[in-house]
Amino acid sequence: MGQIRKELKVSAIENGTVIDHIPASAVFQVIRILKLEAFGNMVLFATNLESKIFGTKGIIKVSNKNFEAEELNKISLVAPHASIIDIRDFEVISKKIVETPDQIIGIVKCFNPNCVTNVEQLATKFSVVDKEDIRLKCHYCEKITTRKTMEFR
Amino acid sequence: MKNKSLVSINDYSKEEQLRILEVAQEFEKKPVQTILQDYVVASLFFEPSTRTRLSFESAVNRLGGKVIGFSEATNTSVKKGESLRDTILTIANYSDLIVMRNPVEGSARFASEISPVPIINAGDGANQHPTQTLLDLYSIQKTQGTLDNLHVALVGDLKYGRTVHSLVIAMCNFNTTFHLISPLELKLPSSVKMHIKEKNLSYFQYTEMNEVFSHADILYMTRIQRERFSDPLEFERIKNSYILHKDMIANTKDSFKVLHPLPRVNEIDIQVDSSEKAYYFEQALNGVYVRQALMALILGLR
Ligand SMILES: [Zn+2]
């Protein structure tokens, strides 16, 4: 019951996806990663909500859209504990936690200014060498981008 | 190995690396051949590196091949702002193999992904320089008769020296014991040590050149650069203590050899040159045989 009431702080959606347990500071990054700025349907979001786990958290609700797991897993870089809830007719159909993928293509910039991905026009490509503390090894320059040095494209 | 680009030493398995060394022995015995007479090799040096370029070009010429390309980026379309993608796609039309040196890190990997002809990385910034590693392996094998179970001492800048990193990673395949001698600020990075630990090999770290030489088989010297130090006084303090003098190698094994990727500045006293344990000039010559072998294998001629 508590769960549902909390979600109601942001209006419920009829159909679509709820992304919950986003660190408050990462809500706008998640919006960017999922390209929701350019999305045509209703998107509701809130941040700095109270959360037992995080202290504060953010939540995003996207109407009439179900994401591919691959697409959603990208947000694990900024929201490693986010839960993904599929909604149909106001009911929770499924609920899962994002997983950090083994490989990240695009989205993240290589922190090395002398990397070919920052010089030529090409997508970045990283293997995730540490999923806990997020360490991304660049496929091209072989240098490690960390959470600290991470920027999004 | 036919048509297989070489960007990073790990692109080739241990067996493939050993095969290159084996073929290199053939070219050492008979360096002048005509197997490349119908081939054009592009030598694209986006930054000058006379030593590496001449070694490659000598290797091609001695096998009867033709070389096209440039030795620095001035006066080329690159200077006019052409992308690397366009340069590679264009030059691939004119050549069977591209040797590239480029200061941009990862440029060789990128080139290998878009080029219809194989790429040999002749150095991409601070990242990789795999043919140097192959010639180091060849030199070690040739002087020691084996690559297995050796004691290798590495001296100098172990933090930034890419040749050191690649050599350590390559030697991890051969049950090597490593002796790492460097100032504290220039220790081997943990990302490289990780490879030693993964194979459960022994390594010892020192901050002074000392008696380790008496049980070493190979001493690999590198240069320490002033600009690597955050504190210039620290550089002044240590700079003379990482210079190899002839008396320091007096009590080494008979088979002991001193290697250096060259160019040297003053880290090996010239008195050492006359010792039969000095091997750095022969080491450079071995680079030609190794590059001949590599090109022959990539072009499917061996
Ligand atoms: Zn990179």
Side-chain angles (χ1 to χ4, degrees), chain A residues 112-117 119-123 125 135 137 139-144, chain B residues 7-8 82-86 103-107 109-110 113 124-128:
Chain A
N112 174 9
N114 192 32
C115 175
V116 70
T117 59
V119 178
E120 290 278 316
Q121 287 194 356
L122 79 151
K125 193 164 154 188
R135 288 163 62 83
K137 184 177 179 191
H139 167 71
Y140 293 98
C141 74
E142 307 183 22
K143 297 230 167 5
I144 307 271
Chain B
V7 173
S8 183
E82 186 182 52
S83 68
L84 178 60
R85 182 191 303 270
D86 290 4
V104 176
E105 289 155 23
S107 54
R109 179 72 62 201
F110 173 58
E113 289 174 348
D124 62 328
N127 188 30
Q128 296 286 336

